[in-house]
PDB file of all heavy atoms in Angstrom:
ATOM      1  N   ASN A   1      -3.042  -0.992  -5.641  1.00 95.00           N
ATOM      2  CA  ASN A   1      -2.601   0.400  -5.508  1.00 95.00           C
ATOM      3  C   ASN A   1      -2.071   0.957  -6.826  1.00 95.00           C
ATOM      4  O   ASN A   1      -2.404   2.088  -7.218  1.00 95.00           O
ATOM      5  CB  ASN A   1      -1.534   0.504  -4.423  1.00 95.00           C
ATOM      6  CG  ASN A   1      -1.073   1.940  -4.192  1.00 95.00           C
ATOM      7  OD1 ASN A   1      -0.184   2.434  -4.888  1.00 95.00           O
ATOM      8  ND2 ASN A   1      -1.678   2.612  -3.241  1.00 95.00           N
ATOM      9  N   ILE A   2      -1.274   0.157  -7.522  1.00 95.00           N
ATOM     10  CA  ILE A   2      -0.750   0.571  -8.826  1.00 95.00           C
ATOM     11  C   ILE A   2      -1.893   0.761  -9.826  1.00 95.00           C
ATOM     12  O   ILE A   2      -1.925   1.734 -10.590  1.00 95.00           O
ATOM     13  CB  ILE A   2       0.280  -0.447  -9.353  1.00 95.00           C
ATOM     14  CG1 ILE A   2       1.521  -0.446  -8.457  1.00 95.00           C
ATOM     15  CG2 ILE A   2       0.681  -0.145 -10.797  1.00 95.00           C
ATOM     16  CD1 ILE A   2       2.477  -1.610  -8.704  1.00 95.00           C
ATOM     17  N   GLY A   3      -2.874  -0.162  -9.805  1.00 93.00           N
ATOM     18  CA  GLY A   3      -4.031  -0.053 -10.685  1.00 93.00           C
ATOM     19  C   GLY A   3      -4.856   1.181 -10.410  1.00 93.00           C
ATOM     20  O   GLY A   3      -5.331   1.850 -11.346  1.00 93.00           O
ATOM     21  N   VAL A   4      -5.034   1.525  -9.131  1.00 91.00           N
ATOM     22  CA  VAL A   4      -5.776   2.736  -8.760  1.00 91.00           C
ATOM     23  C   VAL A   4      -5.055   3.981  -9.259  1.00 91.00           C
ATOM     24  O   VAL A   4      -5.666   4.900  -9.806  1.00 91.00           O
ATOM     25  CB  VAL A   4      -5.961   2.789  -7.227  1.00 91.00           C
ATOM     26  CG1 VAL A   4      -6.434   4.176  -6.786  1.00 91.00           C
ATOM     27  CG2 VAL A   4      -6.961   1.728  -6.769  1.00 91.00           C
ATOM     28  N   ASN A   5      -3.743   4.034  -9.057  1.00 93.00           N
ATOM     29  CA  ASN A   5      -2.962   5.198  -9.460  1.00 93.00           C
ATOM     30  C   ASN A   5      -2.957   5.407 -10.974  1.00 93.00           C
ATOM     31  O   ASN A   5      -2.889   6.533 -11.459  1.00 93.00           O
ATOM     32  CB  ASN A   5      -1.523   5.084  -8.970  1.00 93.00           C
ATOM     33  CG  ASN A   5      -1.334   5.564  -7.550  1.00 93.00           C
ATOM     34  OD1 ASN A   5      -0.821   6.636  -7.300  1.00 93.00           O
ATOM     35  ND2 ASN A   5      -1.771   4.756  -6.588  1.00 93.00           N
ATOM     36  N   THR A   6      -3.024   4.311 -11.719  1.00 92.00           N
ATOM     37  CA  THR A   6      -2.972   4.405 -13.185  1.00 92.00           C
ATOM     38  C   THR A   6      -4.354   4.436 -13.826  1.00 92.00           C
ATOM     39  O   THR A   6      -4.459   4.495 -15.049  1.00 92.00           O
ATOM     40  CB  THR A   6      -2.169   3.227 -13.760  1.00 92.00           C
ATOM     41  OG1 THR A   6      -2.743   1.994 -13.297  1.00 92.00           O
ATOM     42  CG2 THR A   6      -0.710   3.288 -13.353  1.00 92.00           C
ATOM     43  N   GLY A   7      -5.410   4.365 -13.018  1.00 87.00           N
ATOM     44  CA  GLY A   7      -6.766   4.431 -13.547  1.00 87.00           C
ATOM     45  C   GLY A   7      -7.305   3.127 -14.079  1.00 87.00           C
ATOM     46  O   GLY A   7      -8.336   3.105 -14.751  1.00 87.00           O
ATOM     47  N   VAL A   8      -6.631   2.014 -13.758  1.00 88.00           N
ATOM     48  CA  VAL A   8      -7.096   0.704 -14.210  1.00 88.00           C
ATOM     49  C   VAL A   8      -8.155   0.141 -13.265  1.00 88.00           C
ATOM     50  O   VAL A   8      -9.011  -0.646 -13.662  1.00 88.00           O
ATOM     51  CB  VAL A   8      -5.901  -0.272 -14.328  1.00 88.00           C
ATOM     52  CG1 VAL A   8      -6.345  -1.660 -14.732  1.00 88.00           C
ATOM     53  CG2 VAL A   8      -4.879   0.261 -15.328  1.00 88.00           C
ATOM     54  N   LEU A   9      -8.108   0.557 -11.978  1.00 86.00           N
ATOM     55  CA  LEU A   9      -9.045   0.082 -10.967  1.00 86.00           C
ATOM     56  C   LEU A   9      -9.659   1.266 -10.232  1.00 86.00           C
ATOM     57  O   LEU A   9      -9.041   2.341 -10.156  1.00 86.00           O
ATOM     58  CB  LEU A   9      -8.316  -0.825  -9.952  1.00 86.00           C
ATOM     59  CG  LEU A   9      -7.746  -2.149 -10.487  1.00 86.00           C
ATOM     60  CD1 LEU A   9      -6.876  -2.812  -9.427  1.00 86.00           C
ATOM     61  CD2 LEU A   9      -8.862  -3.086 -10.904  1.00 86.00           C
ATOM     62  N   PRO A  10     -10.861   1.098  -9.665  1.00 82.00           N
ATOM     63  CA  PRO A  10     -11.464   2.192  -8.900  1.00 82.00           C
ATOM     64  C   PRO A  10     -10.703   2.457  -7.613  1.00 82.00           C
ATOM     65  O   PRO A  10     -10.017   1.582  -7.091  1.00 82.00           O
ATOM     66  CB  PRO A  10     -12.888   1.677  -8.619  1.00 82.00           C
ATOM     67  CG  PRO A  10     -12.812   0.199  -8.753  1.00 82.00           C
ATOM     68  CD  PRO A  10     -11.749  -0.068  -9.785  1.00 82.00           C
ATOM     69  N   THR A  11     -10.827   3.664  -7.088  1.00 78.00           N
ATOM     70  CA  THR A  11     -10.131   4.068  -5.869  1.00 78.00           C
ATOM     71  C   THR A  11     -10.535   3.162  -4.712  1.00 78.00           C
ATOM     72  O   THR A  11     -11.723   2.969  -4.448  1.00 78.00           O
ATOM     73  CB  THR A  11     -10.455   5.521  -5.527  1.00 78.00           C
ATOM     74  OG1 THR A  11     -10.142   6.337  -6.648  1.00 78.00           O
ATOM     75  CG2 THR A  11      -9.656   5.989  -4.329  1.00 78.00           C
ATOM     76  N   LYS A  12      -9.523   2.619  -4.010  1.00 76.00           N
ATOM     77  CA  LYS A  12      -9.780   1.656  -2.940  1.00 76.00           C
ATOM     78  C   LYS A  12      -9.305   2.121  -1.576  1.00 76.00           C
ATOM     79  O   LYS A  12      -9.666   1.564  -0.561  1.00 76.00           O
ATOM     80  CB  LYS A  12      -9.067   0.325  -3.261  1.00 76.00           C
ATOM     81  CG  LYS A  12      -9.651  -0.444  -4.436  1.00 76.00           C
ATOM     82  CD  LYS A  12     -11.027  -0.934  -4.122  1.00 76.00           C
ATOM     83  CE  LYS A  12     -11.581  -1.777  -5.268  1.00 76.00           C
ATOM     84  NZ  LYS A  12     -12.974  -2.119  -5.064  1.00 76.00           N
ATOM     85  N   GLY A  13      -8.409   3.109  -1.499  1.00 77.00           N
ATOM     86  CA  GLY A  13      -7.886   3.548  -0.205  1.00 77.00           C
ATOM     87  C   GLY A  13      -6.863   2.606   0.367  1.00 77.00           C
ATOM     88  O   GLY A  13      -6.710   2.516   1.582  1.00 77.00           O
ATOM     89  N   LEU A  14      -6.151   1.883  -0.497  1.00 88.00           N
ATOM     90  CA  LEU A  14      -5.108   0.965  -0.046  1.00 88.00           C
ATOM     91  C   LEU A  14      -3.737   1.610  -0.233  1.00 88.00           C
ATOM     92  O   LEU A  14      -3.465   2.223  -1.265  1.00 88.00           O
ATOM     93  CB  LEU A  14      -5.152  -0.344  -0.832  1.00 88.00           C
ATOM     94  CG  LEU A  14      -6.271  -1.324  -0.492  1.00 88.00           C
ATOM     95  CD1 LEU A  14      -6.248  -2.489  -1.466  1.00 88.00           C
ATOM     96  CD2 LEU A  14      -6.139  -1.834   0.928  1.00 88.00           C
ATOM     97  N   THR A  15      -2.873   1.422   0.751  1.00 92.00           N
ATOM     98  CA  THR A  15      -1.513   1.958   0.658  1.00 92.00           C
ATOM     99  C   THR A  15      -0.637   1.045  -0.210  1.00 92.00           C
ATOM    100  O   THR A  15      -0.992  -0.111  -0.480  1.00 92.00           O
ATOM    101  CB  THR A  15      -0.871   2.058   2.051  1.00 92.00           C
ATOM    102  OG1 THR A  15      -0.870   0.748   2.654  1.00 92.00           O
ATOM    103  CG2 THR A  15      -1.634   3.029   2.943  1.00 92.00           C
ATOM    104  N   LEU A  16       0.498   1.578  -0.631  1.00 94.00           N
ATOM    105  CA  LEU A  16       1.506   0.798  -1.324  1.00 94.00           C
ATOM    106  C   LEU A  16       2.437   0.231  -0.258  1.00 94.00           C
ATOM    107  O   LEU A  16       3.125   0.999   0.416  1.00 94.00           O
ATOM    108  CB  LEU A  16       2.277   1.678  -2.302  1.00 94.00           C
ATOM    109  CG  LEU A  16       3.173   0.999  -3.342  1.00 94.00           C
ATOM    110  CD1 LEU A  16       2.391   0.019  -4.200  1.00 94.00           C
ATOM    111  CD2 LEU A  16       3.855   2.044  -4.226  1.00 94.00           C
ATOM    112  N   PRO A  17       2.447  -1.095  -0.030  1.00 95.00           N
ATOM    113  CA  PRO A  17       3.230  -1.672   1.071  1.00 95.00           C
ATOM    114  C   PRO A  17       4.677  -1.210   1.069  1.00 95.00           C
ATOM    115  O   PRO A  17       5.302  -1.106   0.011  1.00 95.00           O
ATOM    116  CB  PRO A  17       3.133  -3.188   0.806  1.00 95.00           C
ATOM    117  CG  PRO A  17       1.868  -3.355   0.037  1.00 95.00           C
ATOM    118  CD  PRO A  17       1.750  -2.115  -0.830  1.00 95.00           C
ATOM    119  N   PHE A  18       5.199  -0.936   2.277  1.00 96.00           N
ATOM    120  CA  PHE A  18       6.578  -0.506   2.526  1.00 96.00           C
ATOM    121  C   PHE A  18       6.846   0.945   2.113  1.00 96.00           C
ATOM    122  O   PHE A  18       7.761   1.568   2.643  1.00 96.00           O
ATOM    123  CB  PHE A  18       7.600  -1.406   1.812  1.00 96.00           C
ATOM    124  CG  PHE A  18       7.596  -2.829   2.242  1.00 96.00           C
ATOM    125  CD1 PHE A  18       6.988  -3.811   1.468  1.00 96.00           C
ATOM    126  CD2 PHE A  18       8.191  -3.210   3.433  1.00 96.00           C
ATOM    127  CE1 PHE A  18       6.977  -5.142   1.868  1.00 96.00           C
ATOM    128  CE2 PHE A  18       8.187  -4.534   3.851  1.00 96.00           C
ATOM    129  CZ  PHE A  18       7.579  -5.496   3.065  1.00 96.00           C
ATOM    130  N   LEU A  19       6.084   1.500   1.181  1.00 95.00           N
ATOM    131  CA  LEU A  19       6.400   2.821   0.635  1.00 95.00           C
ATOM    132  C   LEU A  19       5.512   3.928   1.175  1.00 95.00           C
ATOM    133  O   LEU A  19       6.012   4.970   1.604  1.00 95.00           O
ATOM    134  CB  LEU A  19       6.322   2.808  -0.903  1.00 95.00           C
ATOM    135  CG  LEU A  19       7.560   2.273  -1.627  1.00 95.00           C
ATOM    136  CD1 LEU A  19       7.514   0.761  -1.715  1.00 95.00           C
ATOM    137  CD2 LEU A  19       7.656   2.852  -3.025  1.00 95.00           C
ATOM    138  N   SER A  20       4.195   3.746   1.151  1.00 95.00           N
ATOM    139  CA  SER A  20       3.271   4.820   1.510  1.00 95.00           C
ATOM    140  C   SER A  20       3.391   5.210   2.973  1.00 95.00           C
ATOM    141  O   SER A  20       3.728   4.396   3.838  1.00 95.00           O
ATOM    142  CB  SER A  20       1.828   4.393   1.231  1.00 95.00           C
ATOM    143  OG  SER A  20       1.602   4.197  -0.149  1.00 95.00           O
ATOM    144  N   PHE A  21       3.079   6.482   3.255  1.00 92.00           N
ATOM    145  CA  PHE A  21       3.048   6.969   4.635  1.00 92.00           C
ATOM    146  C   PHE A  21       1.911   6.296   5.392  1.00 92.00           C
ATOM    147  O   PHE A  21       0.803   6.180   4.885  1.00 92.00           O
ATOM    148  CB  PHE A  21       2.858   8.486   4.649  1.00 92.00           C
ATOM    149  CG  PHE A  21       2.751   9.075   6.029  1.00 92.00           C
ATOM    150  CD1 PHE A  21       3.884   9.320   6.782  1.00 92.00           C
ATOM    151  CD2 PHE A  21       1.512   9.338   6.594  1.00 92.00           C
ATOM    152  CE1 PHE A  21       3.788   9.859   8.057  1.00 92.00           C
ATOM    153  CE2 PHE A  21       1.393   9.873   7.862  1.00 92.00           C
ATOM    154  CZ  PHE A  21       2.543  10.140   8.592  1.00 92.00           C
ATOM    155  N   GLY A  22       2.177   5.872   6.597  1.00 85.00           N
ATOM    156  CA  GLY A  22       1.160   5.209   7.422  1.00 85.00           C
ATOM    157  C   GLY A  22       1.799   4.236   8.378  1.00 85.00           C
ATOM    158  O   GLY A  22       2.443   3.272   7.940  1.00 85.00           O
ATOM    159  N   GLY A  23       1.664   4.488   9.669  1.00 86.00           N
ATOM    160  CA  GLY A  23       2.363   3.667  10.660  1.00 86.00           C
ATOM    161  C   GLY A  23       1.956   2.210  10.651  1.00 86.00           C
ATOM    162  O   GLY A  23       2.802   1.313  10.626  1.00 86.00           O
ATOM    163  N   SER A  24       0.646   1.933  10.649  1.00 91.00           N
ATOM    164  CA  SER A  24       0.178   0.549  10.708  1.00 91.00           C
ATOM    165  C   SER A  24       0.641  -0.239   9.496  1.00 91.00           C
ATOM    166  O   SER A  24       1.102  -1.379   9.617  1.00 91.00           O
ATOM    167  CB  SER A  24      -1.350   0.514  10.787  1.00 91.00           C
ATOM    168  OG  SER A  24      -1.819   1.192  11.940  1.00 91.00           O
ATOM    169  N   SER A  25       0.542   0.367   8.309  1.00 94.00           N
ATOM    170  CA  SER A  25       0.939  -0.317   7.070  1.00 94.00           C
ATOM    171  C   SER A  25       2.420  -0.646   7.070  1.00 94.00           C
ATOM    172  O   SER A  25       2.823  -1.765   6.738  1.00 94.00           O
ATOM    173  CB  SER A  25       0.584   0.558   5.872  1.00 94.00           C
ATOM    174  OG  SER A  25       1.046  -0.019   4.670  1.00 94.00           O
ATOM    175  N   VAL A  26       3.254   0.322   7.447  1.00 96.00           N
ATOM    176  CA  VAL A  26       4.699   0.106   7.450  1.00 96.00           C
ATOM    177  C   VAL A  26       5.090  -0.966   8.459  1.00 96.00           C
ATOM    178  O   VAL A  26       5.883  -1.871   8.159  1.00 96.00           O
ATOM    179  CB  VAL A  26       5.446   1.428   7.756  1.00 96.00           C
ATOM    180  CG1 VAL A  26       6.934   1.180   7.995  1.00 96.00           C
ATOM    181  CG2 VAL A  26       5.277   2.408   6.597  1.00 96.00           C
ATOM    182  N   VAL A  27       4.548  -0.880   9.676  1.00 96.00           N
ATOM    183  CA  VAL A  27       4.916  -1.829  10.730  1.00 96.00           C
ATOM    184  C   VAL A  27       4.486  -3.253  10.357  1.00 96.00           C
ATOM    185  O   VAL A  27       5.265  -4.207  10.481  1.00 96.00           O
ATOM    186  CB  VAL A  27       4.284  -1.416  12.077  1.00 96.00           C
ATOM    187  CG1 VAL A  27       4.486  -2.510  13.124  1.00 96.00           C
ATOM    188  CG2 VAL A  27       4.908  -0.119  12.574  1.00 96.00           C
ATOM    189  N   VAL A  28       3.260  -3.409   9.857  1.00 97.00           N
ATOM    190  CA  VAL A  28       2.770  -4.735   9.494  1.00 97.00           C
ATOM    191  C   VAL A  28       3.549  -5.294   8.307  1.00 97.00           C
ATOM    192  O   VAL A  28       3.862  -6.496   8.263  1.00 97.00           O
ATOM    193  CB  VAL A  28       1.252  -4.689   9.180  1.00 97.00           C
ATOM    194  CG1 VAL A  28       0.777  -6.015   8.611  1.00 97.00           C
ATOM    195  CG2 VAL A  28       0.466  -4.359  10.441  1.00 97.00           C
ATOM    196  N   SER A  29       3.921  -4.442   7.347  1.00 97.00           N
ATOM    197  CA  SER A  29       4.738  -4.890   6.207  1.00 97.00           C
ATOM    198  C   SER A  29       6.093  -5.392   6.672  1.00 97.00           C
ATOM    199  O   SER A  29       6.600  -6.409   6.173  1.00 97.00           O
ATOM    200  CB  SER A  29       4.910  -3.751   5.197  1.00 97.00           C
ATOM    201  OG  SER A  29       3.683  -3.354   4.647  1.00 97.00           O
ATOM    202  N   CYS A  30       6.692  -4.692   7.641  1.00 97.00           N
ATOM    203  CA  CYS A  30       7.990  -5.123   8.188  1.00 97.00           C
ATOM    204  C   CYS A  30       7.873  -6.460   8.918  1.00 97.00           C
ATOM    205  O   CYS A  30       8.771  -7.311   8.807  1.00 97.00           O
ATOM    206  CB  CYS A  30       8.551  -4.055   9.142  1.00 97.00           C
ATOM    207  SG  CYS A  30       9.137  -2.557   8.327  1.00 97.00           S
ATOM    208  N   ILE A  31       6.783  -6.648   9.647  1.00 97.00           N
ATOM    209  CA  ILE A  31       6.568  -7.931  10.327  1.00 97.00           C
ATOM    210  C   ILE A  31       6.402  -9.051   9.294  1.00 97.00           C
ATOM    211  O   ILE A  31       6.938 -10.161   9.488  1.00 97.00           O
ATOM    212  CB  ILE A  31       5.336  -7.855  11.259  1.00 97.00           C
ATOM    213  CG1 ILE A  31       5.601  -6.883  12.411  1.00 97.00           C
ATOM    214  CG2 ILE A  31       4.988  -9.230  11.813  1.00 97.00           C
ATOM    215  CD1 ILE A  31       4.385  -6.613  13.281  1.00 97.00           C
ATOM    216  N   ALA A  32       5.699  -8.769   8.212  1.00 97.00           N
ATOM    217  CA  ALA A  32       5.518  -9.776   7.156  1.00 97.00           C
ATOM    218  C   ALA A  32       6.866 -10.160   6.555  1.00 97.00           C
ATOM    219  O   ALA A  32       7.140 -11.356   6.325  1.00 97.00           O
ATOM    220  CB  ALA A  32       4.592  -9.233   6.066  1.00 97.00           C
ATOM    221  N   ALA A  33       7.724  -9.173   6.299  1.00 97.00           N
ATOM    222  CA  ALA A  33       9.059  -9.458   5.764  1.00 97.00           C
ATOM    223  C   ALA A  33       9.876 -10.276   6.757  1.00 97.00           C
ATOM    224  O   ALA A  33      10.624 -11.194   6.367  1.00 97.00           O
ATOM    225  CB  ALA A  33       9.779  -8.149   5.436  1.00 97.00           C
ATOM    226  N   ALA A  34       9.736  -9.971   8.053  1.00 97.00           N
ATOM    227  CA  ALA A  34      10.461 -10.714   9.082  1.00 97.00           C
ATOM    228  C   ALA A  34      10.002 -12.176   9.139  1.00 97.00           C
ATOM    229  O   ALA A  34      10.816 -13.087   9.348  1.00 97.00           O
ATOM    230  CB  ALA A  34      10.255 -10.049  10.445  1.00 97.00           C
TER     231      ALA A  34
END
């Protein structure tokens, strides 16, 4: 995600874990932390 935002990598459509808007991403990231 950082690489996509800075132009180092091509656009992938991946969220930034814990930060980006998106229910599935946030919930799964919280489960991973747990």
